[in-house]
Amino acid sequence: MDQQVLKTDKTKTSNVSLQGQIQDLRSAIVEQPGTFQYTCFHLEYSGQPINDFTDLSDVKGLAAGSEIRLVEDPYTERDARMHVVRIREIIGAAGNRVDVLNGVDAGLSLHESVAPWNGPDAGSAAKRKSAVSKLTADANPLADFKFDGLISIPTLLPRGQETSSKTIKALGISPWNPPPPMFRQRGHLLYLQLTTNEGEQFQITSHVSGFFVNRSSNSKFDPLPKASPKNAMAHSLLTLIQALSPSFSDAFNALLEANNKRDPLATFQLTSAIPSNPWLVSPSSFSAAAHQPDLTRTQETYLLSGVENTETLRDWNEEIQSTRELPRETVQDRVFRERLLAKIFAEFNDAAARGGALVARGEVAPLNPTESKDAQIFVYNGIFYSFGADGVGTFTSEGADEAARIAVGKDVAGVKMVNQLDIPGLATPGTIIVDYLGKRLVAQSIVPGIFKQREPDEPQVDYGGVEGKDVVADNDAFVSTFSQVSKALKVKKHAVWDKEGKKHVLEGSVETKGLLGTDGRKYILDLYRLTPLDISWLDAYWTDSHDQKPLERNYPHRMSVLRSELIESYWRMRMSEYVKAELDKRKNDQKDVVDGDTSDQPDRESPNETADTRVNGTSDAKTNDTETAKDRGRVDISAFALSLNPDVFCGQVPQTAEEKEEWANDEREVRAVTDHLHQKIIPEFIHDLKEQEVGFPMDGQSLSRLMHKRGINVRYVGKLASLSKEGNPRLQALKRLAEQEMIARAFKHIANRYLKNLPTPMAPSCIAHLLNCLLGTGTNDSPRAQLDDDLQYLYKDADYSFADATPHSLQTDIEAQTQLRYRYTLEESWLSGVRRTQLLREIALKLGLQLVAKDYCLSSEADSRPSNLAPLTNGSTTQSSVNGHATNGVTGNGGKKKKKRNNGDSPPVSATASTILEPPHTFIQDDIVNIVPIIKDSSSKSVLAEEALEAGRISMIQNQKELGQELLLESLSLHEQIYGILHPEVARVYHQLAMLYYTIEEKDAAVELAHKAVVISERTIGIDSDETILSYLNLSLFEHANGNTAVALACQRHALELWKIIYGPDHPDIMTTYNNAAVMLQHLKLFHESRVWFEKSHAVSEEMCGKDSISTASLAFQLAQALALDQDHKGAVNRMREAYSIFHHKLGAEDRNTKEADSWLDQLTVNAVSIAKHAKDVQAQKIRRALFTPRVTLRTQPQAPVGRSSTEGMNGRVPHSTNGLDNRSIDELMKYIESSGDATRKTPTKKRKNPRSRRAGSSL
């Protein structure tokens, strides 16, 4: 067998780190270009095999400079199949895969075409300077940027990429496979068929010893080795192909070279996270030409799973629970455990989502086919599925199907919270939700014993409510574990009563159940009631009456619970009140002691030293004065307790007077929480957004996320809109965004209602028709659904009521849904004020739609479109005019187009009727390229990595920078090891660390991390998500600070184009980005262009913040400097005077900003007067330029993240002032100008090695 030598020194490319496991080393070997042909091997040291699951540091005698040998192993059939799959991927022969989970262009990244980056050493200072020098007024990324609302669809599309070299024509399983018994006994494993680029076809035998060419042909079977000269044999299939095809090596090297030019993060397959699916896809990505023939694509299931398809069948529950039970004593134990947990949850989520999509499409047989559809259950791939509907009447009194849908969503959130607690001895099943084609499915790992039929007198569960609240089970074995959950989640231990009035004391809600599985583990189930009901909402909008409900009390369900973030906020408020009361009490006690103290009582113990008030509960007479003073500021919080009863207002009936009193107290406490929400949380939310305390949300997702973070349920989005109706521009922006979110969610509910009972092939027609009714009335105000007669005949029982929808009926339905769910009344002309592209995006993301990327004619927006756009609508076959815009027609079968008038009475288009044509429509069913599942999982975050991250943040806040940096780097390493690099949590850590390095002047490190954050965010969160936009904006800042202004401006441009797509051109926080772009242009000495951007930033500030705000004054100060640079001295004086007036009025005459503005105003005034007197004096002009031309050296500012201040992500501190005035005196600026230095002052900094790319603790 061949042997390869790997060294642990630091001088060769085959380096390995002593940190990490042998398994990590194996993974690194198969990824390296020099060794990736190896898949079946083991490692040896000093002639002894090394166990793959040990740490390198545990190998006896292994040290720096030691040699580890790679020894090839004999193949098994599974090894051979995995080897074939691996080699097909390496040589680019795998082709494009199609599945129900990952959509078109899944995991797409646009980073390489926007801001190419080839590593930390790419782009020397000379190269950056050369690139910057080529930028001119007419040739820079921002030269043709339009501030208006015109949207550039190509921003979301991948740029033209070079087609990779084709190394072979085909490689797959031979028709002679599998080997017959006689040859299997001789070591034959597989038979393959290879077609080279030269056109030669080879039949190959996979043997236990390797691969060789056999004598078989298409018509003759002879699997023995072929005679010379084509008797090639090799242990690796890659080596064999190189020997058989003369052109393979050159083509393969070209492929490797092309791959090496790309960022590895943009090409690696996502294994630990579900890739993001773009809502607009390029026609070239899904056209017929893009789908290449590959026979082996249909054989991959066999290659991956074997003949019996048993290798992928897993006991998910046992894997999850046994991993949770792994040791967690040491840091290494915790890293290994959490890493394995993250891997298993990622694999479970992927498998469950795929199975859920198949169940929704009707491709899995139910276990109970005689039940109603909503009550049917399924098992697929070892995972249990049920519909999120009230199929068995459990939630009849709570709202039926609506309540059941909400309950399963809350259950997943509850499982996620319990998973995050990570309580030993308590098990939760793997759980996710799959929303697909109007159906909601809950997927769970199968709990052992959950289907077991118990004795008639034995309850089906062991703890909690068995049949609602009528039958309650007690079991002392669950008390200790459930009590830990209740304590952590602020749930009160309380009594409940069954239907016979018997009292039961439970640690959690009566709806939360405990089940003792047949595997002996304690499972906690049904976690949808971990927090109390929102009684203020239910009192206002719900009634238990089963008769016709009044409109003001017709909320669709009673599952309105409070968010855990709100409970936490209330707990913190009550805690602060308790601490304040204790401190006040202590001060009063100390005052009494001082007043009553006499000289004859020197040894009396002061009250502040008693056990009641000391944090540690002890009193030490020898404590020195320093420690005593320190203890005076401490309060013992062990006596503070706050917990809530989740079963109040749920029909429980206390029996005794004492029980009734306690229950009333519990109800008052819950009402106090709701008062806290209405009186403090929501008003503070509005105030913070109005006063620019936090970053403004960009779209519906970021708005919902920010509301949840503050503890506000989305049902209150209507209240936010109502409270934002005053004239403040930022609140008007919040109102518009809230209304857009309500409309999109209402449309989602309506579409799901229609899709739920539709066959899959009719879903595109339904969605296209509903979109036409909402957004396409500018093209056709009476759209008709495209129904295929043949499909209607096949699916006679389907509900085609969507075809009856009209624009008027849909708008009325949306208004009703908005009023029903959010208690908000849309204005009569709401549709005319909606931003249609943004609304289309929100709808697509909520329904999982992938649409053809083109400029859709979205009604009122058509009037503002440029005349040179491509055709916008579909319908008639000739170029006609609809509202002044061209339309193009599509025939039913895609055949020849003929001119034909349509009076609107013709029947719907059928796939078989090529002569019947539809009137023009904005959307047709072919525009709905794909529908992907929407997934909500219960995976928890890594506790260890989060602990290190939080410790690093605290250290930075406490100004312990070195310790903070080390902890943050350790957190990054933990995130990478536990999640893998391509994961949203890793992207967020990259982003935070990049901000940190930027603040401490480690620019190269900041740039490297920021580039990685952008790529990972695009691939896992979305190419146009708010987090991706923020990553691009901050990358722009870092690149500019590093001297690469050309790339910085490209990032600015891309982020601004994305911003217009997801929000529009007038986002309240966009002035910071405009200002940063102006500073960058000024750095390039493009003074006029810079002035334009400063003017736009100032105009946005005047509109959003007011003409007399500090923000507007700061921008007026900068604009004045820009005007002076552009030789508009009169305008500079006027703007500086405005800034001075505002500063003087708002901050006072002694404020530094006021004094600085006054000084600049004097200089600019003198300058303007001098120019007026000596306009024709050329020499004087030179002198003026030397003496009076100000050099703006304002720094760019980080963009504030949604819901946080701009510096919160860096060091946890909120800035005292957001203005960005130049902090240097005019004299200093004069010296700087005369020295003709760079626009940014550089101070020598200690060099730090850039954070390296880690691979789970080992590197080669």
Side-chain angles (χ1 to χ4, degrees):
M1 293 293 179
D2 186 26
Q3 296 187 353
Q4 295 289 322
V5 179
L6 306 174
K7 290 195 174 183
T8 58
D9 58 36
K10 298 183 179 180
T11 60
K12 297 186 179 181
T13 56
S14 56
N15 295 343
V16 295
S17 170
L18 289 176
Q19 303 297 323
Q21 296 183 328
I22 296 296
Q23 196 69 263
D24 302 328
L25 176 56
R26 287 185 63 97
S27 301
I29 289 172
V30 299
E31 295 291 340
Q32 290 295 311
T35 55
F36 55 25
Q37 68 268 30
Y38 300 106
T39 61
C40 186
F41 61 88
H42 71 271
L43 300 175
E44 291 184 357
Y45 176 65
S46 298
Q48 297 298 319
I50 305 175
N51 191 304
D52 289 343
F53 299 96
T54 60
D55 292 336
L56 277 165
S57 57
D58 294 337
V59 178
K60 190 174 181 179
L62 190 66
S66 300
E67 291 184 355
I68 299 176
R69 293 190 174 272
L70 183 154
V71 182
E72 295 171 341
D73 285 337
Y75 287 97
T76 63
E77 184 199 334
R78 183 183 183 281
D79 292 334
R81 287 189 279 106
M82 295 300 104
H83 184 80
V84 172
V85 171
R86 173 65 179 158
I87 296 303
R88 276 170 49 83
E89 290 177 349
I90 290 174
I91 66 177
N96 57 318
R97 292 187 175 91
V98 180
D99 59 55
V100 296
L101 179 60
N102 298 329
V104 181
D105 286 337
L108 175 67
S109 173
L110 304 176
H111 170 266
E112 291 178 297
S113 58
V114 175
W117 186 75
N118 297 315
D121 300 324
S124 63
K127 289 182 179 179
R128 291 196 293 264
K129 188 173 182 181
S130 174
V132 168
S133 66
K134 296 177 182 178
L135 298 179
T136 65
D138 297 325
N140 70 79
L142 298 179
D144 58 345
F145 180 79
K146 305 296 182 185
F147 292 104
D148 56 30
L150 294 179
I151 290 171
S152 175
I153 295 299
T155 303
L156 296 175
L157 307 181
R159 312 302 190 266
Q161 298 179 354
E162 297 180 4
T163 56
S164 57
S165 303
K166 196 169 181 65
T167 56
I168 60 173
K169 288 187 176 180
L171 172 64
I173 302 297
S174 169
W176 300 114
N177 196 70
M182 62 175 294
F183 287 105
R184 183 172 293 280
Q185 297 299 322
R186 298 170 65 175
H188 291 203
L189 304 174
L190 301 173
Y191 297 135
L192 309 175
Q193 185 171 289
L194 167 70
T195 305
T196 66
N197 281 345
E198 291 80 11
E200 289 190 86
Q201 189 179 87
F202 296 93
Q203 298 286 339
I204 297 174
T205 296
S206 171
H207 191 263
V208 291
S209 61
F211 297 82
F212 61 81
V213 178
N214 63 39
R215 305 173 187 172
S216 297
S217 65
N218 289 334
S219 58
K220 175 188 173 184
F221 176 65
D222 188 353
L224 299 179
K226 198 167 189 175
S228 181
K230 295 187 177 181
N231 57 344
M233 178 176 179
H235 186 269
S236 172
L237 182 58
L238 180 66
T239 308
L240 179 64
I241 297 174
Q242 287 175 326
L244 296 177
S245 174
S247 65
F248 176 81
S249 294
D250 291 339
F252 185 51
N253 290 333
L255 176 64
L256 291 179
E257 185 177 347
N259 290 339
N260 289 336
K261 290 180 180 178
R262 300 197 62 191
D263 188 338
L265 293 179
T267 57
F268 284 167
Q269 185 177 355
L270 278 79
T271 57
S272 58
I274 293 176
S276 171
N277 295 292
W279 65 281
L280 287 179
V281 292
S282 172
S284 61
S285 300
F286 61 87
S287 64
H291 193 61
Q292 298 297 318
D294 181 15
L295 182 62
T296 314
R297 185 164 45 222
T298 60
Q299 302 169 346
E300 281 192 344
T301 301
Y302 160 69
L303 289 172
L304 294 172
S305 308
V307 176
E308 303 297 333
N309 196 26
T310 56
E311 294 179 18
T312 56
L313 296 179
R314 301 164 63 175
D315 187 342
W316 293 106
N317 191 76
E318 181 59 31
E319 288 189 41
I320 292 172
Q321 309 311 333
S322 59
T323 304
R324 283 202 178 112
E325 293 165 356
L326 289 173
R328 60 177 88 181
E329 284 74 21
T330 66
V331 173
Q332 290 81 2
D333 289 342
R334 293 180 65 185
V335 170
F336 179 76
R337 176 179 176 272
E338 293 189 2
R339 180 182 177 186
L340 195 55
L341 266 177
K343 177 178 180 293
I344 289 175
F345 272 118
E347 293 170 350
F348 171 79
N349 294 343
D350 183 87
R354 294 178 188 278
L358 293 176
V359 171
R361 294 166 69 97
E363 298 179 19
V364 178
L367 298 181
N368 52 342
T370 58
E371 301 285 343
S372 65
K373 284 189 176 182
D374 288 342
Q376 289 177 348
I377 57 176
F378 308 80
V379 173
Y380 181 80
N381 197 14
I383 300 172
F384 173 75
Y385 295 91
S386 60
F387 289 106
D390 192 26
V392 294
T394 305
F395 297 96
T396 301
S397 62
E398 310 285 332
D401 287 349
E402 288 278 359
R405 185 182 181 90
I406 296 298
V408 296
K410 299 296 182 184
D411 182 39
V412 169
V415 173
K416 189 165 191 166
M417 284 193 287
V418 173
N419 285 344
Q420 193 65 45
L421 297 176
D422 201 12
I423 296 172
L426 186 63
T428 58
T431 310
I432 74 164
I433 281 177
V434 181
D435 287 328
Y436 187 56
L437 297 175
K439 307 173 184 68
R440 168 163 286 189
L441 290 121
V442 57
Q444 294 179 307
S445 60
I446 301 175
V447 176
I450 196 169
F451 295 126
K452 179 183 177 182
Q453 292 295 325
R454 303 196 180 191
E455 297 297 328
D457 58 342
E458 187 180 3
Q460 286 297 110
V461 297
D462 299 288
Y463 189 77
V466 181
E467 299 174 6
K469 57 180 181 289
D470 293 338
V471 179
V472 181
D474 293 314
N475 191 324
D476 293 339
F478 286 85
V479 173
S480 62
T481 51
F482 272 50
S483 65
Q484 296 179 62
V485 176
S486 299
K487 183 178 179 180
L489 299 179
K490 317 291 188 300
V491 177
K492 181 180 180 179
K493 183 177 181 178
H494 62 282
V496 296
W497 297 265
D498 58 24
K499 62 183 178 182
E500 298 176 356
K502 182 180 178 182
K503 179 179 178 180
H504 304 266
V505 178
L506 298 179
E507 291 288 346
S509 167
V510 70
E511 304 291 350
T512 302
K513 301 171 178 58
L515 176 68
L516 187 63
T518 55
D519 57 356
R521 298 186 178 101
K522 300 169 189 173
Y523 291 87
I524 184 169
L525 307 172
D526 293 349
L527 298 171
Y528 53 83
R529 189 72 68 73
L530 291 178
T531 56
L533 293 172
D534 185 355
I535 189 59
S536 64
W537 182 272
L538 294 177
D539 281 348
Y541 307 122
W542 168 266
T543 178
D544 291 324
S545 172
H546 296 289
D547 301 327
Q548 183 68 30
K549 297 182 180 181
L551 291 178
E552 65 274 9
R553 304 290 296 278
N554 65 342
Y555 194 66
H557 61 81
R558 200 177 184 273
M559 294 300 299
S560 304
V561 298
L562 299 172
R563 291 196 62 84
S564 60
E565 296 90 344
L566 176 65
I567 307 299
E568 190 67 28
S569 172
Y570 181 74
W571 184 89
R572 288 196 300 268
M573 183 197 72
R574 291 288 302 275
M575 164 68 79
S576 64
E577 291 176 350
Y578 173 82
V579 171
K580 185 176 182 298
E582 287 294 310
L583 290 175
D584 291 342
K585 178 181 177 182
R586 179 177 300 176
K587 289 179 181 178
N588 294 333
D589 292 344
Q590 289 174 347
K591 183 178 179 182
D592 294 340
V593 170
V594 171
D595 292 342
D597 196 12
T598 60
S599 58
D600 60 341
Q601 296 175 320
D603 297 328
R604 181 166 43 179
E605 187 178 42
S606 62
N608 68 298
E609 293 178 340
T610 62
D612 296 70
T613 56
R614 290 285 298 277
V615 174
N616 54 12
T618 63
S619 177
D620 189 352
K622 297 180 180 181
T623 303
N624 58 40
D625 294 339
T626 303
E627 291 174 335
T628 303
K630 190 175 181 180
D631 284 341
R632 284 174 187 156
R634 296 179 180 175
V635 174
D636 182 8
I637 62 173
S638 60
F640 174 78
L642 172 68
S643 55
L644 301 174
N645 184 344
D647 287 326
V648 293
F649 309 112
C650 293
Q652 293 290 333
V653 183
Q655 302 297 309
T656 67
E658 182 181 354
E659 292 170 351
K660 291 178 181 179
E661 182 180 358
E662 182 180 4
W663 202 260
N665 291 333
D666 291 344
E667 290 182 344
R668 280 193 293 272
E669 194 73 74
V670 172
R671 289 190 183 276
V673 178
T674 61
D675 292 341
H676 177 67
L677 171 66
H678 291 278
Q679 297 171 12
K680 182 176 176 62
I681 299 299
I682 292 178
E684 282 185 355
F685 182 89
I686 298 288
H687 173 269
D688 289 348
L689 291 177
K690 176 183 177 182
E691 301 299 329
Q692 307 177 65
E693 297 291 336
V694 296
F696 200 89
M698 298 183 188
D699 61 355
Q701 287 183 327
S702 57
L703 174 62
S704 302
R705 190 167 60 246
L706 179 56
M707 291 176 64
H708 288 165
K709 186 178 179 181
R710 295 291 186 98
I712 305 172
N713 299 85
V714 172
R715 61 178 170 270
Y716 285 103
V717 69
K719 181 170 184 177
L720 295 181
S722 299
L723 294 174
S724 304
K725 287 185 177 181
E726 64 173 82
N728 183 277
R730 290 179 68 87
L731 293 187
Q732 286 296 310
L734 176 61
K735 172 178 173 290
R736 187 193 64 76
L737 190 58
E739 287 182 346
Q740 176 180 289
E741 179 68 1
M742 287 186 282
I743 294 167
R745 287 175 175 265
F747 183 93
K748 178 191 73 172
H749 287 291
I750 295 167
N752 284 339
R753 185 179 69 211
Y754 288 127
L755 289 170
K756 183 178 180 181
N757 299 313
L758 266 184
T760 302
M762 300 302 294
S765 296
C766 173
I767 293 169
H769 179 63
L770 294 178
L771 289 176
N772 281 324
C773 290
L774 180 64
L775 301 173
T777 52
T779 302
N780 187 339
D781 58 3
S782 299
R784 297 182 59 183
Q786 292 177 297
L787 294 176
D788 190 308
D789 294 335
D790 295 336
L791 289 177
Q792 282 186 282
Y793 180 79
L794 288 172
Y795 298 102
K796 296 179 180 178
D797 297 332
D799 181 6
Y800 297 103
S801 58
F802 74 89
D804 299 329
T806 64
H808 176 73
S809 68
L810 181 60
Q811 292 174 31
T812 302
D813 212 352
I814 289 175
E815 292 168 3
Q817 287 289 324
T818 303
Q819 175 63 38
L820 175 68
R821 297 178 184 278
Y822 310 109
R823 300 296 145 173
Y824 184 79
T825 303
L826 292 170
E827 297 175 0
E828 188 174 346
S829 59
W830 62 268
L831 188 56
S832 61
V834 167
R835 294 185 176 179
R836 296 166 187 269
T837 301
Q838 287 76 23
L839 179 59
L840 176 62
R841 174 181 177 271
E842 294 288 353
I843 290 171
L845 293 178
K846 286 174 172 54
L847 290 174
L849 307 181
Q850 288 192 293
L851 309 175
V852 178
K854 62 182 181 181
D855 287 296
Y856 294 100
C857 182
L858 302 179
S859 298
S860 62
E861 286 186 358
D863 297 333
S864 62
R865 290 191 177 276
S867 59
N868 59 347
L869 286 178
L872 307 177
T873 60
N874 307 277
S876 63
T877 57
T878 60
Q879 292 285 329
S880 60
S881 178
V882 180
N883 291 342
H885 291 273
T887 63
N888 65 323
V890 179
T891 59
N893 65 349
K896 224 173 189 180
K897 299 179 181 179
K898 293 175 63 178
K899 184 174 181 179
K900 179 172 180 176
R901 289 188 68 176
N902 194 320
N903 59 9
D905 297 328
S906 56
V909 174
S910 171
T912 59
S914 61
T915 58
I916 301 176
L917 304 176
E918 272 292 301
H921 288 85
T922 299
F923 299 92
I924 60 172
Q925 60 182 3
D926 290 343
D927 291 333
I928 315 300
V929 177
N930 191 27
I931 305 176
V932 296
I934 304 298
I935 299 159
K936 299 177 183 177
D937 64 71
S938 59
S939 307
S940 59
K941 294 182 180 180
S942 165
V943 177
L944 184 61
E946 291 297 317
E947 287 174 353
L949 184 62
E950 187 62 25
R953 286 174 180 159
I954 293 173
S955 297
M956 295 301 296
I957 292 173
Q958 296 173 346
N959 209 28
Q960 300 175 359
K961 291 188 176 180
E962 290 190 8
L963 175 61
Q965 290 179 52
E966 293 299 324
L967 288 170
L968 290 172
L969 282 174
E970 182 63 26
S971 173
L972 174 60
S973 176
L974 291 171
H975 275 85
E976 290 177 342
Q977 289 185 60
I978 291 169
Y979 294 114
I981 296 211
L982 295 174
H983 194 278
E985 293 301 323
V986 177
R988 294 178 182 116
V989 174
Y990 278 146
H991 179 79
Q992 294 181 40
L993 273 181
M995 292 295 298
L996 166 68
Y997 279 115
Y998 175 68
T999 59
I1000 62 176
E1001 299 294 324
E1002 294 286 352
K1003 299 174 183 176
D1004 289 335
V1007 167
E1008 179 183 353
L1009 291 170
H1011 276 284
K1012 292 180 178 180
V1014 166
V1015 177
I1016 301 172
S1017 295
E1018 285 184 322
R1019 300 197 64 196
T1020 60
I1021 305 174
I1023 57 174
D1024 60 348
S1025 70
D1026 63 296
E1027 293 184 59
T1028 299
I1029 293 175
L1030 184 63
S1031 295
Y1032 266 114
L1033 291 173
N1034 286 334
L1035 172 60
S1036 173
L1037 263 62
F1038 308 154
E1039 286 283 16
H1040 171 66
N1042 208 27
N1044 198 359
T1045 306
V1047 172
L1049 290 176
C1051 293
Q1052 287 272 346
R1053 173 66 178 265
H1054 186 70
L1056 287 169
E1057 296 288 2
L1058 290 177
W1059 216 333
K1060 287 198 293 186
I1061 290 172
I1062 77 167
Y1063 181 88
D1066 53 353
H1067 190 273
D1069 290 343
I1070 206 167
M1071 56 188 173
T1072 302
T1073 302
Y1074 286 162
N1075 185 77
N1076 290 340
V1079 172
M1080 294 176 192
L1081 291 169
Q1082 204 169 66
H1083 172 80
L1084 300 175
K1085 300 183 180 180
L1086 301 176
F1087 298 132
H1088 180 70
E1089 290 71 22
S1090 172
R1091 165 187 175 169
V1092 172
W1093 286 80
F1094 274 124
E1095 288 175 338
K1096 185 63 178 177
S1097 178
H1098 181 259
V1100 173
S1101 181
E1102 284 187 329
E1103 180 184 355
M1104 291 293 169
C1105 307
K1107 293 187 176 183
D1108 59 347
S1109 67
I1110 299 297
S1111 174
T1112 301
S1114 302
L1115 292 171
F1117 184 98
Q1118 300 177 55
L1119 177 56
Q1121 295 178 320
L1123 292 170
L1125 285 172
D1126 199 29
Q1127 304 302 315
D1128 185 356
H1129 301 283
K1130 183 178 179 181
V1133 171
N1134 293 335
R1135 290 301 184 187
M1136 192 60 72
R1137 184 176 291 113
E1138 291 177 14
Y1140 170 76
S1141 298
I1142 297 172
F1143 285 143
H1144 188 275
H1145 176 69
K1146 293 281 187 179
L1147 304 177
E1150 298 303 316
D1151 186 82
R1152 182 177 67 86
N1153 293 326
T1154 307
K1155 291 180 178 180
E1156 191 169 354
D1158 186 32
S1159 177
W1160 275 93
L1161 180 59
D1162 290 343
Q1163 291 288 341
L1164 291 173
T1165 303
V1166 170
N1167 192 22
V1169 171
S1170 178
I1171 289 175
K1173 290 182 178 180
H1174 308 286
K1176 297 182 180 180
D1177 191 339
V1178 176
Q1179 184 61 30
Q1181 287 180 352
K1182 294 180 181 177
I1183 295 172
R1184 282 196 301 274
R1185 280 197 296 270
L1187 295 180
F1188 300 112
T1189 302
R1191 177 71 172 180
V1192 179
T1193 57
L1194 296 170
R1195 295 174 181 170
T1196 52
Q1197 300 176 21
Q1199 187 72 42
V1202 174
R1204 292 189 294 166
S1205 67
S1206 61
T1207 58
E1208 234 176 308
M1210 293 183 282
N1211 55 15
R1213 295 178 180 175
V1214 178
H1216 296 292
S1217 175
T1218 58
N1219 63 59
L1221 299 188
D1222 198 323
N1223 58 5
R1224 284 189 268 177
S1225 68
I1226 295 179
D1227 291 337
E1228 290 175 322
L1229 289 174
M1230 295 308 163
K1231 293 178 182 178
Y1232 173 78
I1233 295 164
E1234 291 169 358
S1235 67
S1236 299
D1238 197 357
T1240 55
R1241 290 182 297 175
K1242 295 185 178 179
T1243 57
T1245 57
K1246 179 181 176 182
K1247 275 204 166 187
R1248 177 180 294 274
K1249 186 177 179 182
N1250 288 352
R1252 66 185 186 279
S1253 299
R1254 301 172 183 81
R1255 282 189 182 170
S1258 67
S1259 62
L1260 278 176

